[in-house]
Amino acid sequence: MNKPFVVAQISDLHLKADHKLTYGVVDCLGALRRAVDHLNASQPRPDIVVISGDLVDFGRPEEYAVLGMELARLHMPFYLVPGNHDVREHLLAEFAQHAYLPINARAPLDWVVEEHPVRLIGLDSTIPGQHGGQVLDSQLLWLDAQLSRRPDVPTLLILHHPPFITGIGHMDREPFINAAGLKSVVARHPQVERLLCGHLHRPMQRRFGGSISCVCPGTSHQIVLDFQESAPAHFNLEPAGYLLHHWHPQQGLVTHNAVFGEFAGPYPFYDADGLID
């Protein structure tokens, strides 16, 4: 198959059920609706969407009910991993029809999807009731076994928490637990093309275990980019964004950073006299 395969990644939806503005400022529901409309109207349209956690804001059943209705408008399959704002039990109850998800809410929601040109592995990095991320030793054994099964198939790992320090002080106060173990597993499996993460509400990239870890911006609000150790935990309303991962069997995987919204253009690269700059 020589056709490109395009994966859209969105993250950190923080959806509420009561239509209130998050922090009195952010319209997370409106932002998600704009994101869905944008992806549906894209030409060419992405083949699938992966959503890298913090699907809702408080993990409540009524929030997942709103989320389910909004995501049902997508014209392509979508796949979910939880974030630290999610509650496994309520997520599974709303998305019970998603056969790739496990049924046990008392264990990490790890999964594998084999039906696409790029293999997808969801890794649950949440610690129930806590902000930071981790992978358990048992998860690493499972991941190593899954990757060993199909060493020749390009693979994306999707998890919420990036397994590295960013330099944004308030987001680094709870470092990823067992990052070294995850790095060791990834390093043994060169077919891992990317680790697709969220949580940080900013686009970031870092080498990790011979692969690349990509952090997706938020669909609504972004973390302020401030490297001062004393920087407070602030957000801003920079343009909402997403990532497009473009796979081609001969050319490999290229990741593009994109923004939601409508902007002036497109314009041709020549002036009114037909001269190319």
Side-chain angles (χ1 to χ4, degrees):
M1 180 179 178
N2 292 320
K3 178 185 174 185
F5 183 76
V6 179
V7 179
Q9 180 189 358
I10 61 176
S11 195
D12 295 87
L13 316 181
H14 289 276
L15 203 64
K16 291 180 178 291
D18 51 16
H19 296 266
K20 289 184 179 179
L21 299 180
T22 297
Y23 312 116
V25 176
V26 187
D27 180 7
C28 291
L29 177 57
L32 176 59
R33 286 173 172 168
R34 289 189 292 273
V36 170
D37 291 342
H38 182 102
L39 294 173
N40 284 341
S42 296
Q43 293 296 330
R45 186 182 295 159
D47 294 285
I48 63 170
V49 176
V50 297
I51 309 177
S52 48
D54 279 0
L55 312 173
V56 301
D57 210 29
F58 294 107
R60 296 169 180 163
E62 58 268 27
E63 292 176 329
Y64 289 109
V66 175
L67 177 68
M69 287 188 293
E70 296 302 325
L71 294 182
R73 297 196 300 111
L74 283 168
H75 295 166
M76 67 288 285
F78 62 91
Y79 302 93
L80 310 166
V81 297
N84 50 286
H85 281 254
D86 292 302
V87 173
R88 293 168 181 167
E89 178 183 2
H90 299 156
L91 188 162
L92 290 179
E94 176 61 33
F95 295 97
Q97 75 279 15
H98 283 227
Y100 63 91
L101 287 170
I103 60 174
N104 182 9
R106 291 189 294 268
L109 304 185
D110 301 330
W111 50 261
V112 181
V113 169
E114 309 272 14
E115 62 195 68
H116 303 298
V118 175
R119 194 177 188 220
L120 308 175
I121 297 182
L123 201 60
D124 185 347
S125 62
T126 64
I127 308 170
Q130 298 188 38
H131 181 263
Q134 72 172 5
V135 285
L136 303 170
D137 289 341
S138 57
Q139 290 179 277
L140 293 180
L141 289 172
W142 174 86
L143 176 62
D144 192 46
Q146 292 297 329
L147 291 171
S148 297
R149 284 183 52 242
R150 302 190 71 189
D152 299 323
V153 179
T155 300
L156 302 177
L157 301 186
I158 305 109
L159 66 161
H160 181 63
H161 297 85
F164 57 86
I165 296 297
T166 69
I168 301 177
H170 66 90
M171 296 301 289
D172 291 338
R173 288 175 192 146
E174 297 183 57
F176 192 99
I177 299 171
N178 221 356
L182 178 59
K183 186 176 183 179
S184 179
V185 171
V186 171
R188 290 198 293 272
H189 299 282
Q191 79 270 27
V192 177
E193 294 282 345
R194 297 286 189 279
L195 291 83
L196 307 185
C197 310
H199 188 56
L200 297 176
H201 292 244
R202 295 205 65 81
M204 301 181 196
Q205 304 81 37
R206 185 188 188 276
R207 288 175 58 84
F208 187 85
S211 185
I212 301 173
S213 181
C214 291
V215 181
C216 186
T219 58
S220 54
H221 53 295
Q222 314 305 321
I223 297 294
V224 171
L225 183 56
D226 190 336
F227 293 144
Q228 299 178 88
E229 289 188 17
S230 60
H234 283 170
F235 69 90
N236 61 25
L237 297 180
E238 292 178 35
Y242 64 109
L243 299 180
L244 281 174
H245 309 282
H246 182 278
W247 167 258
H248 190 279
Q250 278 75 51
Q251 305 301 324
L253 187 72
V254 177
T255 294
H256 300 262
N257 188 52
V259 294
F260 294 115
E262 299 199 9
F263 306 93
Y267 301 110
F269 283 102
Y270 53 82
D271 60 24
D273 297 321
L275 301 175
I276 299 175
D277 291 338

mmCIF file of all heavy atoms in Angstrom, residues 9 202-205 215-218 222 239-245 254-260:
data_model
loop_
_atom_site.group_PDB
_atom_site.id
_atom_site.type_symbol
_atom_site.label_atom_id
_atom_site.label_comp_id
_atom_site.label_asym_id
_atom_site.label_seq_id
_atom_site.Cartn_x
_atom_site.Cartn_y
_atom_site.Cartn_z
ATOM 1 N N GLN A 9 -3.746 14.325 15.797
ATOM 2 C CA GLN A 9 -3.678 14.204 17.254
ATOM 3 C C GLN A 9 -4.192 15.481 17.888
ATOM 4 O O GLN A 9 -3.728 16.582 17.580
ATOM 5 C CB GLN A 9 -2.235 13.953 17.709
ATOM 6 C CG GLN A 9 -2.090 13.821 19.229
ATOM 7 C CD GLN A 9 -0.635 13.783 19.677
ATOM 8 O OE1 GLN A 9 0.276 13.820 18.841
ATOM 9 N NE2 GLN A 9 -0.413 13.717 20.971
ATOM 10 N N ARG A 202 1.418 22.494 25.026
ATOM 11 C CA ARG A 202 2.350 23.215 24.152
ATOM 12 C C ARG A 202 2.953 22.207 23.178
ATOM 13 O O ARG A 202 3.155 21.046 23.540
ATOM 14 C CB ARG A 202 3.513 23.846 24.923
ATOM 15 C CG ARG A 202 3.161 24.934 25.899
ATOM 16 C CD ARG A 202 4.343 25.860 26.116
ATOM 17 N NE ARG A 202 4.670 26.563 24.895
ATOM 18 C CZ ARG A 202 4.022 27.649 24.470
ATOM 19 N NH1 ARG A 202 3.028 28.150 25.177
ATOM 20 N NH2 ARG A 202 4.358 28.233 23.344
ATOM 21 N N PRO A 203 3.308 22.625 21.957
ATOM 22 C CA PRO A 203 4.054 21.715 21.081
ATOM 23 C C PRO A 203 5.501 21.612 21.538
ATOM 24 O O PRO A 203 6.168 22.626 21.758
ATOM 25 C CB PRO A 203 3.948 22.400 19.704
ATOM 26 C CG PRO A 203 3.749 23.846 20.014
ATOM 27 C CD PRO A 203 2.979 23.908 21.304
ATOM 28 N N MET A 204 5.976 20.389 21.719
ATOM 29 C CA MET A 204 7.353 20.132 22.127
ATOM 30 C C MET A 204 7.822 18.844 21.468
ATOM 31 O O MET A 204 7.010 17.960 21.153
ATOM 32 C CB MET A 204 7.487 19.953 23.641
ATOM 33 C CG MET A 204 7.031 21.115 24.475
ATOM 34 S SD MET A 204 7.276 20.771 26.233
ATOM 35 C CE MET A 204 6.235 22.050 26.939
ATOM 36 N N GLN A 205 9.135 18.715 21.309
ATOM 37 C CA GLN A 205 9.716 17.491 20.767
ATOM 38 C C GLN A 205 10.996 17.194 21.544
ATOM 39 O O GLN A 205 11.723 18.103 21.928
ATOM 40 C CB GLN A 205 10.059 17.621 19.279
ATOM 41 C CG GLN A 205 8.899 18.026 18.385
ATOM 42 C CD GLN A 205 8.645 19.507 18.394
ATOM 43 O OE1 GLN A 205 9.568 20.301 18.451
ATOM 44 N NE2 GLN A 205 7.376 19.897 18.348
ATOM 45 N N VAL A 215 4.822 16.357 21.903
ATOM 46 C CA VAL A 215 3.755 16.842 22.769
ATOM 47 C C VAL A 215 2.816 17.695 21.936
ATOM 48 O O VAL A 215 3.247 18.586 21.212
ATOM 49 C CB VAL A 215 4.308 17.649 23.951
ATOM 50 C CG1 VAL A 215 3.177 18.115 24.857
ATOM 51 C CG2 VAL A 215 5.312 16.812 24.751
ATOM 52 N N CYS A 216 1.530 17.419 22.088
ATOM 53 C CA CYS A 216 0.502 18.114 21.317
ATOM 54 C C CYS A 216 0.011 19.343 22.073
ATOM 55 O O CYS A 216 -0.186 19.291 23.291
ATOM 56 C CB CYS A 216 -0.673 17.160 21.094
ATOM 57 S SG CYS A 216 -1.969 17.772 20.017
ATOM 58 N N PRO A 217 -0.199 20.465 21.391
ATOM 59 C CA PRO A 217 -0.827 21.611 22.058
ATOM 60 C C PRO A 217 -2.267 21.299 22.429
ATOM 61 O O PRO A 217 -2.843 20.301 21.986
ATOM 62 C CB PRO A 217 -0.740 22.721 21.010
ATOM 63 C CG PRO A 217 -0.609 22.012 19.706
ATOM 64 C CD PRO A 217 0.124 20.735 19.984
ATOM 65 N N GLY A 218 -2.857 22.159 23.265
ATOM 66 C CA GLY A 218 -4.239 21.967 23.675
ATOM 67 C C GLY A 218 -5.217 22.471 22.630
ATOM 68 O O GLY A 218 -4.889 23.325 21.805
ATOM 69 N N GLN A 222 -3.267 27.205 26.362
ATOM 70 C CA GLN A 222 -1.895 26.719 26.343
ATOM 71 C C GLN A 222 -1.187 27.136 27.639
ATOM 72 O O GLN A 222 -1.506 28.170 28.238
ATOM 73 C CB GLN A 222 -1.127 27.278 25.147
ATOM 74 C CG GLN A 222 -1.866 27.204 23.819
ATOM 75 C CD GLN A 222 -2.342 25.815 23.440
ATOM 76 O OE1 GLN A 222 -1.633 24.838 23.661
ATOM 77 N NE2 GLN A 222 -3.537 25.715 22.873
ATOM 78 N N PRO A 239 -3.033 30.529 19.937
ATOM 79 C CA PRO A 239 -3.875 29.747 19.024
ATOM 80 C C PRO A 239 -3.918 28.263 19.398
ATOM 81 O O PRO A 239 -2.888 27.657 19.687
ATOM 82 C CB PRO A 239 -3.214 29.963 17.662
ATOM 83 C CG PRO A 239 -2.560 31.297 17.783
ATOM 84 C CD PRO A 239 -2.076 31.378 19.198
ATOM 85 N N ALA A 240 -5.119 27.727 19.433
ATOM 86 C CA ALA A 240 -5.295 26.303 19.713
ATOM 87 C C ALA A 240 -4.675 25.478 18.588
ATOM 88 O O ALA A 240 -4.748 25.860 17.414
ATOM 89 C CB ALA A 240 -6.774 25.975 19.850
ATOM 90 N N GLY A 241 -4.070 24.339 18.931
ATOM 91 C CA GLY A 241 -3.357 23.585 17.915
ATOM 92 C C GLY A 241 -3.560 22.087 17.985
ATOM 93 O O GLY A 241 -4.231 21.553 18.875
ATOM 94 N N TYR A 242 -2.953 21.422 17.022
ATOM 95 C CA TYR A 242 -2.993 19.967 16.936
ATOM 96 C C TYR A 242 -1.778 19.510 16.148
ATOM 97 O O TYR A 242 -1.016 20.331 15.618
ATOM 98 C CB TYR A 242 -4.293 19.490 16.290
ATOM 99 C CG TYR A 242 -4.501 19.899 14.842
ATOM 100 C CD1 TYR A 242 -4.423 18.961 13.820
ATOM 101 C CD2 TYR A 242 -4.809 21.215 14.497
ATOM 102 C CE1 TYR A 242 -4.632 19.321 12.489
ATOM 103 C CE2 TYR A 242 -5.021 21.590 13.185
ATOM 104 C CZ TYR A 242 -4.929 20.640 12.180
ATOM 105 O OH TYR A 242 -5.134 21.000 10.874
ATOM 106 N N LEU A 243 -1.572 18.198 16.080
ATOM 107 C CA LEU A 243 -0.483 17.626 15.311
ATOM 108 C C LEU A 243 -1.051 16.729 14.219
ATOM 109 O O LEU A 243 -2.066 16.052 14.414
ATOM 110 C CB LEU A 243 0.457 16.815 16.206
ATOM 111 C CG LEU A 243 1.172 17.559 17.333
ATOM 112 C CD1 LEU A 243 2.059 16.606 18.125
ATOM 113 C CD2 LEU A 243 1.984 18.729 16.807
ATOM 114 N N LEU A 244 -0.378 16.736 13.077
ATOM 115 C CA LEU A 244 -0.696 15.815 11.990
ATOM 116 C C LEU A 244 0.541 14.948 11.742
ATOM 117 O O LEU A 244 1.623 15.474 11.455
ATOM 118 C CB LEU A 244 -1.068 16.558 10.715
ATOM 119 C CG LEU A 244 -2.486 17.117 10.619
ATOM 120 C CD1 LEU A 244 -2.630 17.954 9.352
ATOM 121 C CD2 LEU A 244 -3.520 16.007 10.639
ATOM 122 N N HIS A 245 0.361 13.646 11.863
ATOM 123 C CA HIS A 245 1.443 12.688 11.657
ATOM 124 C C HIS A 245 1.208 11.994 10.316
ATOM 125 O O HIS A 245 0.255 11.223 10.169
ATOM 126 C CB HIS A 245 1.486 11.683 12.809
ATOM 127 C CG HIS A 245 1.504 12.338 14.163
ATOM 128 N ND1 HIS A 245 2.644 12.900 14.700
ATOM 129 C CD2 HIS A 245 0.512 12.534 15.068
ATOM 130 C CE1 HIS A 245 2.366 13.398 15.893
ATOM 131 N NE2 HIS A 245 1.079 13.189 16.140
ATOM 132 N N VAL A 254 6.362 11.922 9.098
ATOM 133 C CA VAL A 254 6.664 13.340 9.277
ATOM 134 C C VAL A 254 5.551 13.930 10.149
ATOM 135 O O VAL A 254 4.368 13.697 9.893
ATOM 136 C CB VAL A 254 6.740 14.088 7.934
ATOM 137 C CG1 VAL A 254 6.983 15.582 8.162
ATOM 138 C CG2 VAL A 254 7.829 13.497 7.046
ATOM 139 N N THR A 255 5.939 14.689 11.165
ATOM 140 C CA THR A 255 4.967 15.300 12.072
ATOM 141 C C THR A 255 4.882 16.797 11.807
ATOM 142 O O THR A 255 5.903 17.488 11.751
ATOM 143 C CB THR A 255 5.362 15.041 13.534
ATOM 144 O OG1 THR A 255 5.271 13.633 13.791
ATOM 145 C CG2 THR A 255 4.442 15.786 14.495
ATOM 146 N N HIS A 256 3.657 17.287 11.641
ATOM 147 C CA HIS A 256 3.400 18.691 11.355
ATOM 148 C C HIS A 256 2.642 19.310 12.525
ATOM 149 O O HIS A 256 1.693 18.715 13.049
ATOM 150 C CB HIS A 256 2.553 18.840 10.087
ATOM 151 C CG HIS A 256 3.192 18.260 8.860
ATOM 152 N ND1 HIS A 256 3.885 19.031 7.954
ATOM 153 C CD2 HIS A 256 3.239 16.975 8.396
ATOM 154 C CE1 HIS A 256 4.337 18.252 6.976
ATOM 155 N NE2 HIS A 256 3.961 17.010 7.221
ATOM 156 N N ASN A 257 3.054 20.502 12.918
ATOM 157 C CA ASN A 257 2.335 21.272 13.917
ATOM 158 C C ASN A 257 1.364 22.204 13.196
ATOM 159 O O ASN A 257 1.755 22.917 12.263
ATOM 160 C CB ASN A 257 3.322 22.080 14.767
ATOM 161 C CG ASN A 257 2.641 22.752 15.934
ATOM 162 O OD1 ASN A 257 1.935 22.100 16.699
ATOM 163 N ND2 ASN A 257 2.834 24.048 16.085
ATOM 164 N N ALA A 258 0.092 22.198 13.601
ATOM 165 C CA ALA A 258 -0.930 22.995 12.930
ATOM 166 C C ALA A 258 -1.787 23.710 13.965
ATOM 167 O O ALA A 258 -1.757 23.375 15.160
ATOM 168 C CB ALA A 258 -1.801 22.107 12.042
ATOM 169 N N VAL A 259 -2.538 24.697 13.514
ATOM 170 C CA VAL A 259 -3.409 25.447 14.417
ATOM 171 C C VAL A 259 -4.835 25.402 13.906
ATOM 172 O O VAL A 259 -5.084 25.270 12.704
ATOM 173 C CB VAL A 259 -2.942 26.911 14.573
ATOM 174 C CG1 VAL A 259 -1.606 26.982 15.278
ATOM 175 C CG2 VAL A 259 -2.876 27.620 13.230
ATOM 176 N N PHE A 260 -5.783 25.514 14.826
ATOM 177 C CA PHE A 260 -7.189 25.620 14.475
ATOM 178 C C PHE A 260 -7.530 27.088 14.232
ATOM 179 O O PHE A 260 -6.976 27.988 14.854
ATOM 180 C CB PHE A 260 -8.073 25.072 15.590
ATOM 181 C CG PHE A 260 -7.932 23.593 15.801
ATOM 182 C CD1 PHE A 260 -7.422 23.083 16.989
ATOM 183 C CD2 PHE A 260 -8.310 22.699 14.809
ATOM 184 C CE1 PHE A 260 -7.298 21.720 17.193
ATOM 185 C CE2 PHE A 260 -8.187 21.329 14.995
ATOM 186 C CZ PHE A 260 -7.683 20.840 16.186
#
